[in-house]
Amino acid sequence: RRYKAVSRHKSSASLRLSSRREKHRAAAKMVRTSVLRDALNAIVNAERRGKRQVLIRPSSKVVIKFLQVMAKSGYIGEFELVDDHRAGKIVIHLNGRLNKCGVISPRYDVAIEDLEKWTSNLLPSRQFGKVVLTTSYGIMDHEEARRKHTGGKILGFFF
């Protein structure tokens, strides 16, 4: 609804409506809950659109380690860190191999015995895809965690 003020001064009804709009605008802004989730969603969306590269911001240590695991497995190309004296940006070169990646929230504890159950639930096949864990030895995929005989908390997956 739009109210029209008759005089040159704003009427109280017009002021009320504009303050209501301001409150609505302030409430419409989304809060960033997970930097990793936003980064992986941006990668998947760019991959589905057929883009060759994608810009991710903000950057974080966890995002960088997750991307290193993805690059080591060959699901993405190389990536560059751009220091903008703020939270940082990452430019990722895509190679078209990635079908889906996602975050598991909350970060469930995964014992080494339960690793097989998680991989069968999350990945489409035994042949491809990785589940990413954060362990006391660092962030790694489920195969490396099995080789090092360690469990940890589950971060996400990609295939």
Side-chain angles (χ1 to χ4, degrees):
R1 248 188 256 156
R2 210 178 289 156
Y3 293 107
K4 198 170 192 176
V6 178
S7 67
R8 290 187 189 274
H9 303 288
K10 281 192 170 181
S11 66
S12 62
S14 175
L15 288 174
R16 245 183 293 141
L17 188 65
S18 66
S19 67
R20 220 180 282 145
R21 271 198 204 112
E22 295 302 319
K23 284 180 187 173
H24 182 69
R25 266 197 206 110
K29 190 174 186 318
M30 292 295 291
V31 179
R32 189 178 303 257
T33 55
S34 170
V35 173
L36 182 61
R37 172 170 281 136
D38 290 349
L40 295 184
N41 274 341
I43 293 170
V44 168
N45 291 341
E47 190 79 67
R48 286 187 180 148
R49 297 265 311 161
K51 305 284 188 195
R52 302 302 300 155
Q53 61 184 19
V54 61
L55 178 76
I56 286 176
R57 54 169 286 274
S59 169
S60 76
K61 286 191 229 175
V62 174
V63 171
I64 292 167
K65 294 287 187 186
F66 201 102
L67 291 175
Q68 284 172 347
V69 172
M70 289 173 83
K72 192 173 73 175
S73 303
Y75 282 87
I76 60 170
E78 57 192 27
F79 59 93
E80 303 150 26
L81 300 171
V82 180
D83 183 28
D84 58 355
H85 298 292
R86 287 172 189 81
K89 297 176 184 171
I90 306 172
V91 177
I92 303 168
H93 298 278
L94 303 173
N95 56 13
R97 259 196 82 192
L98 191 68
N99 295 314
K100 187 171 186 191
C101 57
V103 175
I104 302 300
S105 179
R107 296 179 177 174
Y108 291 106
D109 288 327
V110 178
I112 194 158
E113 305 87 41
D114 302 335
L115 212 52
E116 186 61 39
K117 184 186 78 169
W118 277 96
T119 55
S120 64
N121 284 343
L122 290 172
L123 303 178
S125 163
R126 284 172 169 259
Q127 277 78 26
F128 65 98
K130 305 275 190 219
V131 174
V132 181
L133 304 166
T134 175
T135 68
S136 53
Y137 297 106
I139 293 176
M140 61 186 75
D141 60 53
H142 68 278
E143 293 170 355
E144 189 179 346
R146 193 173 287 130
R147 279 195 301 273
K148 291 189 176 178
H149 200 76
T150 183
K153 290 186 181 290
I154 192 161
L155 280 180
F157 62 93
F158 57 89
F159 54 84

